[in-house]
Amino acid sequence: MIWIKNDPNFLPLRIRDMFAASPQLEHTYKNGPKMPLFEVMSKDMNMLKDRKKVPVPPISEVSEQTTWMLAVRDQRDRKAFARLYDHFAPRLKGFVMRSGIPAAQAEEVVQDVMLTIWHKAELFDPHRAQVSAWIYQITRNRNIDMIRKERRPVPDELGQEIGTEPDAGQILAVDQEVKQLVQALEALKPTQRDAIEKTYLGELTHQELCTQTGLPLGTIKSRIRLGLEKLRYELKGMR
Amino acid sequence: MSAITHHVPDSLLAAYVSGNLEHHFALVVAAHVSLCLDCRAAMEAHQALGGAVLDTADCAEVSEALRASIFDQLDAPVAATPNFVRSGIFPSPVMEALKGTPPRWKPLGGGIKQSILSADRDGSSRLLYIPSGRAVPQHSHNGLELTLVLQGSFGDDAGRFGVGDLEVADSDVDHQPTADLDAACICLAATDAPLRFNSLVPRLLQPLFRI
Ligand SMILES: [Zn+2]
């Protein structure tokens, strides 16, 4: 990809490549161009034109975490995994320790979670979740599994169909909703923020926990709903 | 095929996401979410908020050894975890609770049957089979009862419940769910306390059947 990396004219190509590895391009990377470079590109640009439905967002707007996670998921990219590790491991450790787990054990949880991220990367769907949300749920699940020594009940997985066209607009929208949510969280009064942190750290029972967060969860919920509707959903037979 | 009208209350969803919902209830919530896109979206919104809390958490220094240990294990083979998939009317969390086998129905009298999924001091979860037109013996609860319809429908004082609908009944509710006439009703139910039956016979059977 080096040959297009710094050329702003090929920004759309890079974005496209980030979201959907084109077999043709992949072939080019591995084995060197088999056809003149220009032809490879223009062919891909034509494919881009065919997908009129989504305005491709500028790459700089999608969060780094999302691009790293997609590189891990689609290319098994270790450098991207290292970046994810550097970003999340200290936060994860801090988060887990806040729920009262000593430092050494907290590192065990971090290890477990990071390896789960690597091995279960195919379950990450950026149309519905920002990386932090996905990692949060893995962390809580692993925490409970470790305490109970059995797997906690989880809903049916809704897998993406292989080769589904990624919807960059939707991915970006989820990213931005989450950004706003983080800003709203940071703007809360310390007591309110503390209550929310306690809730999501799992310190409160369902009778005690704080659902009147004062945070605008409605908008992100509608956005995730749109992401869900893009999945091939096999419930029809059941209901 | 009708729309789901009775959903998981937000406090239960938040408790489920944060891992604070007792195991038997977590099973019912997971089963409902498997059937309901609205509650799945709401659940994932809670996960987004949990993610925001994680992302703004104070960082703790991690050891170099941890990093090395993780990267060493990336290529190590992982133990395969059993993967349960939805089967017929049972979503995957129910299949997992059944350990992949069909329910083992035990008669409760009056054609009503149950299959206990798990029971411990925190409560119990079970499948209930109610023949069309039959009623579950009238009972109330010491704690909370969640009932999710998987097949058919039933009605009680709180309304009508079809496939995917979740009834949340607390200790104030004294109810007698009656299966509708068109089909037998199969439900997934969980409680955190034994039920209180109003008549003597079910009360005598109670220790025997762990309901
Ligand atoms: Zn619902």
Side-chain angles (χ1 to χ4, degrees), chain A residues 96-128:
Chain A
V96 172
M97 282 176 70
R98 242 205 86 175
S99 59
I101 292 174
Q105 258 178 291
E107 289 210 345
E108 274 176 45
V109 178
V110 175
Q111 168 160 315
D112 204 273
V113 169
M114 289 309 301
L115 287 171
T116 306
I117 292 165
W118 177 255
H119 291 300
K120 303 271 182 195
E122 81 274 6
L123 295 177
F124 172 66
D125 179 1
H127 300 98
R128 294 149 54 205

Side-chain angles (χ1 to χ4, degrees), chain B residues 4 6-8 32 36-40 164:
Chain B
I4 296 173
H6 301 272
H7 296 278
V8 184
H32 176 87
C36 178
L37 276 194
D38 287 329
C39 287
R40 191 184 287 266

